[in-house]
Amino acid sequence: MRPRSLLARNYSPEDLERIANAFLVGNGRVGYKGTREEFGKEERATFSLIGTYDQREDKWREPINLFDPLGFRIETSLGTIPGREPLRREFRLDMRHGILYRKDVYEDVEVRTERFCPYGGGLHLLQKIEVRARKDAKVLLSSFLTTDIHEINGPHFPEKSLSFLEDGSVLASGVTNEGRKVEVILREEGSHGRRPFLEKERVGYLYEADLRQGERILLRKIGEARIDGEIEEEAPLSYEEARRRHFLSFERAFEEARAILPRDGELQKGMDHAVYSLLILGNHRKATSIPARGLSGQVYKGAIFWDTEMFLLPFFLLTDQEVARLLVQYRINTLPGALLKAREFGFEGAFYAWESQEDGRERCSLYNVTDPRTGEPIRTYFADCQIHISIDVFHGLMEYVRASGDLRILEEGGKDVLREVVRFYRSRASLGEDGLYHFKGVIGPDEYHELVDDNAYTNAMVRFEIEDAVSYLRKKGYGGIPGEELGEWLRFARAIYLQKPGKDGVIEQFAGYLGLEDVRYEEFRKRIEDPKEYLGGKEGKATPTRVIKQADVVALLALHPERYSREALRKNLRFYEPYTEGGSSLSNSMYGLLSAWCGNLGKAVRYMRESTLTDIRGSKKMFAGGIYIGGSHPAAMGGAYLDLARGLLGARIEENKVRFSPNLPKEMKGLRYRYKEGGIPKERKF
Ligand code: BGC
């Protein structure tokens, strides 16, 4: 089945936030939100760039947004756009070709635009604008580049300027608070004569024409960003040629990565959107990794979390290992930041940042949410105590190595990551009277319960991941790590305390969890007074209860089902489900994956469907305490893909051989799955 486009017709103003995130375009380096160009900053228009950050005074450090080259304004005798209400309006995202189309029909003119960031390309954003007369009309179109942009913790450009270049291009240039030079150059070709204009924060051209009915003004714009003067790749010379190439290469990438699902239009659309959303994050150029909110802007400080290794990497391992390698490379490059963090907290080895930027230093604030009632910051312990991040990084690296067989990466710094992560946990563990190692005062994935002892996910992940790595490396001649050292890792891992399922089969999420108030989420939610209320931490309402934010024990079982009996998997799924808020978009996919392992396929598909529709529906939380957390949800997209590939198809990739052990519900029989093996596109029918 051909993928349908994602459509939003005659949307209402409340829909704009959802559209902005679901209709993003991008190429892993830059992106642009699905906002209406003529409204610019007013609708939080964002020309995003991954990997260049800035801090203004004592505000949160965040990625810069680039100067916006897509602005326009139209005047006719009937008034000005923006300012007039169209008769009909539409956004259409062609997910197969990575192009966003808009159409607004007014009484006298029809305005169409298209935009895309060339797939696999550099810091480029291209746009076409067409204004067609529906009746004879005098049209004045101004098209511009603006320095007046949306920023959360800005302004990031205390110095900025606009100018014309000799070849007629326009330039916006600025220097960030941290001294980075940022330029956006806009070159445009128009069908009509033009006049330059320069205002305080806008530079561009005016196109004026007396149009007869059916005639049009056409503009093609090529925007290019440069950081510190670096040309990552030359900007395309011709719009149409760049569009043609992008169209074909995106189509190929999309067709080679998608699954064709029988008889379920909604799920197909959701899964296509997941694949689309992941493809636009695939960066083929720099080891900048993928922020939790992808290309949707500055939320969460543009930081990289465990989301990348646990939720996003599996997609790239099965579809594009070049991107996967760069994701892993990012953690190798940022090892110094992790070493520094460990030292700052009084430990050895590599304690990776809970929120990591380009240098790997911890950027998670100690007061990461606010109380919406008082506006007071709330002390959270994510940075200090969410120690599972290091084993998640270790897992990601080993998954890449096992999937690709690329042992070279261990020599190129990977083995240092493994070593330093093990060293960190050894120094962080305390030896109990039982002769076993315990991790005290931690935060598990749940996050609402802070400073707990022996979080099941953390303890078991550290143990299992080290055991699995040692067994793989021994088979492979040690990967450059002395055998004796591997033996020490193993002795440590085997001495880590593991929560066993109790008599009822339940694994306690942390020491004392089962003693907390037994209230299910459905009942608990009635206690919430303010939808922005933060439920965790010292004063949070969830803290004294069993209510959890997201999959925790369930995530562990979903990732390591082979370590537990099917009975234990089932019992824990059933036990934790009613306590789970699902406040994080990461949660559904882990419940989906575990449901698949339990053979509860209806449920697995339900969770997967929810996950795929996260951004299309736009129903996720917009606030954590008083802090805005809106944006796109890459981990939900990656998680949905994980549910399909790993959960339902049982795909396992080892040294570029993909094996399947499908577990498909009847109604999905006939599914066609496309993936790559050793870089070669394959299709398998189930
Ligand atoms: C979740 C984390 C996640 C982060 C970024 C938080 O709300 O609790 O698990 O890593 O969002 O997606």
Side-chain angles (χ1 to χ4, degrees), residues 173-215:
S173 158
V175 178
T176 66
N177 299 294
E178 295 186 6
R180 309 291 300 271
K181 184 172 169 210
V182 175
E183 293 164 302
V184 173
I185 299 157
L186 171 63
R187 185 155 47 79
E188 65 186 40
E189 301 155 20
S191 57
H192 286 69
R194 62 186 190 177
R195 279 183 283 138
F197 78 93
L198 176 63
E199 295 169 359
K200 191 160 165 269
E201 298 238 55
R202 290 174 176 187
V203 63
Y205 289 95
L206 294 167
Y207 300 81
E208 200 167 1
D210 276 312
L211 299 181
R212 292 266 178 77
Q213 188 184 1
E215 287 180 348

Side-chain angles (χ1 to χ4, degrees), residues 87 323-324 450 524 541 613 655:
L87 306 171
V323 175
E450 300 188 328
F524 171 85
K541 291 200 177 110
L613 296 175
E655 312 211 340

Side-chain angles (χ1 to χ4, degrees), residues 292-293 300 305-307 354 386 445 447 549-550 584 586:
R293 287 288 180 262
Y300 279 142
F305 292 66
W306 71 316
D307 304 32
W354 179 243
Q386 207 159 157
E447 282 188 356
K549 181 177 180 187
Q550 60 188 319
S584 161
L586 278 53

